[in-house]
Amino acid sequence: MKLFPQTLLRWLVLCLLSCLAGLGMASDQDVTDATPDEETSAPERARRIPVITYHHHLPQDLKMAGRYRDGSVTNSVESFREQMEWLRKNGYSSLKLEEFEAFIENRSNRSMEKKVLITFDDGYLTTLKFCYPILKEYGFTAVVFLITGRQPALAESRFLPEKLQYIARAQMAPASDVFEWAAHTHNLHSMKLNPSRSDLLAADDGALAEDAALSLAQLGQTRHFCFPFGQYDEQVTERLAHLGFRYFYTTDRGWAQPQQGRKIMISRLNVSPRMTLAGFARLFRDDT
């Protein structure tokens, strides 16, 4: 039998060692201490960003003692603080809507690595009472999608944890150092006509135009719109685009990526009340 030349044999051994190293033989780490997006290259991460979604928050003791104990969209204030601390510890910074628009329309040369857009649906008073000071403490901003028809003119005189209360119109300007405000309909965030279908989808052209006008009268000229209950179709999206909206926020799971066109659809990542800190960290490691 003819033996391999010594040089060729040495080359084969080096190739084998290189392949074994690529398999990742290192021991597992606690996911909360791992580097986010460690399985994705930096250039790829810079082309997409996570948009995370919250709704309602209560302190853990109030949540567990009341009607929202098992609620599917009521997170604890303690978990929110822990998550914001994780973002800051891992080097993330939040985006303002102007920056997000430049990214999503591919008009920005800035890297989006370690960027996040934080969003809150509905405009509950708990977002202002509990989340605002935590966001401010950690230097983050966020977008609040308001159901403007449920907003009182003036601040509630008393906080009632068993009731869904909403941010007042008078409270918006003082909180605009942290929050930006966008649309979640005026009075079409309901299922009065059909228990499985949003009233937004059932509205005729006149009702939709009136609702959008009422919403914009309180918000200003925002072009950002969040679909109630995550329900949408091509027809209602086109009608809303005709009324001046351009950026449409869904509950479709995924990361935001640059797009072109009149209607830009934005996937998001929901932060569930049952999500552990390790689960939260995983949101920033993949887009599935």
Side-chain angles (χ1 to χ4, degrees), residues 40-194:
T40 310
S41 67
E44 183 179 346
R45 289 198 303 276
R47 289 195 297 269
R48 56 187 178 86
I49 64 166
V51 180
I52 60 174
T53 306
Y54 295 99
H55 290 79
H56 188 227
H57 287 81
L58 283 173
Q60 182 72 4
D61 58 343
L62 292 179
K63 176 185 173 182
M64 298 308 291
R67 61 183 289 204
Y68 301 110
R69 175 189 178 101
D70 298 315
S72 62
V73 295
T74 302
N75 296 47
S76 74
V77 175
E78 291 83 355
S79 69
F80 182 73
R81 172 176 287 282
E82 191 176 41
Q83 290 156 7
M84 294 304 102
E85 183 179 5
W86 184 91
L87 287 175
R88 175 55 64 204
K89 176 182 175 182
N90 283 276
Y92 278 85
S93 59
S94 58
L95 289 173
K96 302 278 283 184
L97 284 178
E98 185 177 4
E99 299 171 292
F100 182 70
E101 289 176 9
F103 157 73
I104 207 77
E105 294 176 22
N106 214 14
R107 292 188 280 105
S108 174
N109 293 324
R110 293 179 55 197
S111 170
M112 289 294 112
E113 189 175 3
K114 295 294 184 78
K115 300 292 184 182
V116 60
L117 183 67
I118 303 169
T119 68
F120 294 84
D121 289 5
D122 303 329
Y124 295 121
L125 181 58
T126 58
T127 299
L128 177 62
K129 182 175 179 62
F130 299 117
C131 299
Y132 170 88
I134 295 173
L135 288 164
K136 191 165 185 174
E137 177 183 345
Y138 286 101
F140 295 128
T141 59
V143 180
V144 180
F145 294 104
L146 292 167
I147 307 171
T148 49
R150 298 182 188 175
Q151 288 186 269
L154 302 176
E156 299 280 0
S157 59
R158 186 168 156 229
F159 173 62
L160 302 172
E162 290 295 285
K163 180 182 175 183
L164 289 179
Q165 298 171 296
Y166 293 84
I167 297 169
R169 294 194 296 275
Q171 294 174 302
M172 292 170 62
S176 293
D177 58 335
V178 169
F179 291 139
E180 293 182 272
W181 315 99
H184 205 24
T185 78
H186 186 73
N187 278 322
L188 294 177
H189 191 296
S190 58
M191 293 182 176
K192 295 175 183 175
L193 303 176
N194 186 322

Side-chain angles (χ1 to χ4, degrees), residues 204-223:
D204 60 27
D205 287 351
L208 188 62
E210 180 182 4
D211 190 86
L214 288 169
S215 181
L216 291 172
Q218 290 179 204
L219 294 171
Q221 295 305 309
T222 183
R223 297 189 295 168

